[in-house]
Amino acid sequence: MHSVPPGAAGGERFDVAWLERALAGTTLGHPLLYFRDIGSTNTEAVALARTGTAEGTLLLTDHQTAGRGRIGRVWQSLPGQQLQFSLILHPTFPPHFLVMASALAVVEAIRVETGLDAAIKWPNDVLIGGRKVAGILIEASGGAVVLGIGVNVNSTLAGWPELAARATTLADATGSQVIREALAAAILTRLDASYADLQQRGEVAQQAIRAAWRGQLETLGRAVVIHQNGGEVRGVAEDVDAGGELIVREANGTRQIITWGDVE
Ligand code: BTN
């Protein structure tokens, strides 16, 4: 666990200097561009990537006014209470391994920083006790990839019963404030290590990431409903293939390979 930045817990302004020191030894996170408010770090990063920005550039904010989620959804902002950041990367490997490495980094960082048992819901949501606590949005921009991560850290969703039924914050789950800066450092240092491994060791690293990611997938072995464009596939989630696609066995025995969608 990282040493605690003074007064950071629950503080509304992110301690950027502390995170910069914590990331002194990493490739990812430099330069670190902080925005008190922004529409969306992913939207900004997509635009920035077109200008040929440095590998590992990090855009981080305390508040998004137009945060975006997967499948055109809105990512709700709790000002000063979440982690919301995007990285500009140039992976030489298939990008779904980056998503797997990111989900793993978030799960491990949450465990180390809070002791909470987090798990991955296919394709890349991070859950605690069945409720979503973090999401990942990956987008291509020119030759670059923009990786956006959002984590509900502090504050409570108690005032939004409908949202609280399917989402949570780390503070709601632990009953205490969590240091956002330390959590960001824990995620980014883990991602830095696995990204370097994926860039350097090719298929060996890809297999290791996939195996670790699969080990944290709570979706496997469960009865699932996959929602796609108003349609649905029902069955048992049997496995994930090498491409990270979900293999679902329907009641009539048909094997469906699911590349995208929402799992219920
Ligand atoms: C999802 O679960 O649907 C993905 C959520 C991704 C949210 C993050 S917050 C930082 C970055 N900027 C965005 O607009 N979205 C991602």
Side-chain angles (χ1 to χ4, degrees), residues 45-68:
V46 164
L48 206 56
R50 290 200 197 103
T51 67
T53 313
E55 168 78 341
T57 298
L58 173 64
L59 293 84
L60 182 143
T61 189
D62 268 317
H63 180 39
Q64 294 189 127
T65 52
R68 295 186 290 111

Side-chain angles (χ1 to χ4, degrees), residues 2-228:
H2 290 270
S3 62
V4 172
E12 296 214 345
R13 192 177 190 102
F14 196 91
D15 189 339
V16 177
W18 188 92
L19 182 61
E20 272 173 339
R21 286 195 296 279
L23 297 181
T26 63
T27 302
L28 303 190
H30 313 283
L32 196 173
L33 310 176
Y34 168 76
F35 304 84
R36 181 80 171 130
D37 298 279
I38 195 169
S40 151
T41 55
N42 256 48
T43 303
E44 185 71 20
V46 164
L48 206 56
R50 290 200 197 103
T51 67
T53 313
E55 168 78 341
T57 298
L58 173 64
L59 293 84
L60 182 143
T61 189
D62 268 317
H63 180 39
Q64 294 189 127
T65 52
R68 295 186 290 111
R70 285 175 53 240
I71 330 178
R73 297 215 176 100
V74 169
W75 172 263
Q76 210 69 45
S77 191
L78 302 166
Q81 309 293 335
Q82 290 163 310
L83 276 185
Q84 300 181 110
F85 62 81
S86 302
L87 285 161
I88 299 174
L89 300 167
H90 299 84
T92 54
F93 51 86
H96 65 271
F97 290 108
L98 186 57
V99 180
M100 291 177 180
S102 304
L104 271 176
V106 171
V107 164
E108 289 171 10
I110 287 174
R111 283 206 191 118
V112 168
E113 294 298 323
T114 69
L116 290 167
D117 204 14
I120 301 168
K121 181 177 122 179
W122 187 90
N124 50 38
D125 287 348
V126 176
L127 310 186
I128 290 173
R131 295 189 176 124
K132 179 163 171 170
V133 76
I136 296 164
L137 177 65
I138 191 165
E139 297 177 291
S141 175
V145 164
V146 169
L147 170 72
I149 298 182
V151 187
N152 298 331
V153 183
N154 288 317
S155 191
T156 177
L157 300 182
W160 294 277
E162 215 174 277
L163 188 58
R166 54 193 162 80
T168 190
T169 67
L170 294 177
D172 271 344
T174 56
S176 55
Q177 295 280 296
V178 173
I179 313 284
R180 289 186 301 154
E181 292 79 356
L183 184 69
I187 294 171
L188 287 161
T189 48
R190 278 167 178 76
L191 189 54
D192 186 71
S194 45
Y195 183 69
D197 202 33
L198 283 163
Q199 290 286 63
Q200 287 155 20
R201 292 203 308 141
E203 275 184 28
V204 176
Q206 293 172 16
Q207 278 170 20
I209 284 289
R210 182 180 166 274
W213 174 79
R214 192 180 177 285
Q216 302 298 328
L217 258 192
E218 61 132 52
T219 314
L220 296 185
R222 299 222 170 156
V224 290
V225 185
I226 319 286
H227 298 277
Q228 291 179 327

